[in-house]
Amino acid sequence: VYAGVLDELVGSVIRGAPRPSVSEAVRSLPIGLLIGADLVAAVLVGAALAFGVLPGLVLAPMLAIVGPVVTIERRRPIRAVARSMRLTVGHLGLTVTTVGTLLLAEGLVHEWLLHVREEVSALAELIVAVPSILTIGAFVGLVEVELAYALLARDPGSTTHAMVAETVGSPEKDDGTLAPG
């Protein structure tokens, strides 16, 4: 829900529309599609991990923008997964280093928190766990949303690309690289 709300808030700025309230953003989310897409992505990452850690560590970041793709483009789960993979495969280095590093850090913090649970009281665990999880989760969500919008803005077939081109001009120079600014 957090990343979906970010999608709606960031999208309103890109579209030049009035910023929705948090409750309006939550109500506009396609919750069923998001749950379905998350399940499809989880099954795929689980299957990739069955072949080894490396395939899972590459596939998980490639699927990290599935939620934003569902929210931004209102795609159904299977199509959102395929779209996420198409958008990220051409930017695999960027995707793995940004999102992959954050997902790995999030996993390590969760693992550390499991060890903390065994050594401290429940109250101490809450004092450490809640701020840690919220901070890391917020940062991961923000990076995923920003990455999704950046990749969609570079895709000439997307409505995001058309909105950006209409608002600020084409995001690409004639040679296909991104224009500065």
Side-chain angles (χ1 to χ4, degrees):
V1 171
Y2 170 76
V5 169
L6 282 177
D7 289 335
E8 294 299 318
L9 296 176
V10 170
S12 70
V13 171
I14 290 173
R15 292 186 302 272
R19 190 179 85 195
S21 69
V22 172
S23 63
E24 290 169 335
V26 169
R27 282 193 305 271
S28 73
L29 295 177
I31 299 294
L33 294 177
L34 288 167
I35 291 170
D38 195 37
L39 290 173
V40 171
V43 167
L44 289 174
V45 171
L49 286 169
F51 290 102
V53 173
L54 188 58
L57 288 177
V58 171
L59 187 60
M62 290 178 70
L63 297 176
I65 65 168
V66 167
V69 167
V70 168
T71 304
I72 296 164
E73 297 186 332
R74 296 298 200 247
R75 292 190 183 245
R76 302 196 63 69
I78 301 292
R79 291 183 186 267
V81 165
R83 178 84 161 133
S84 178
M85 292 178 71
R86 276 193 310 275
L87 287 168
T88 57
V89 74
H91 305 280
L92 198 54
L94 172 69
T95 302
V96 170
T97 55
T98 56
V99 177
T101 302
L102 290 172
L103 292 174
L104 185 59
E106 185 177 31
L108 291 172
V109 168
H110 281 284
E111 183 66 28
W112 176 74
L113 290 172
L114 289 174
H115 292 294
V116 169
R117 174 177 290 158
E118 297 170 4
E119 298 174 15
V120 297
S121 70
L123 180 60
E125 177 190 359
L126 283 175
I127 291 170
V128 171
V130 171
S132 300
I133 291 168
L134 290 176
T135 301
I136 292 171
F139 195 66
V140 169
L142 183 59
V143 168
E144 290 171 353
V145 169
E146 288 294 328
L147 179 63
Y149 271 107
L151 294 178
L152 287 167
R154 293 179 182 189
D155 179 23
S158 80
T159 55
T160 302
H161 181 346
M163 283 187 293
V164 170
E166 184 179 302
T167 305
V168 296
S170 177
E172 296 179 358
K173 295 188 284 187
D174 291 339
D175 63 0
T177 61
L178 287 182

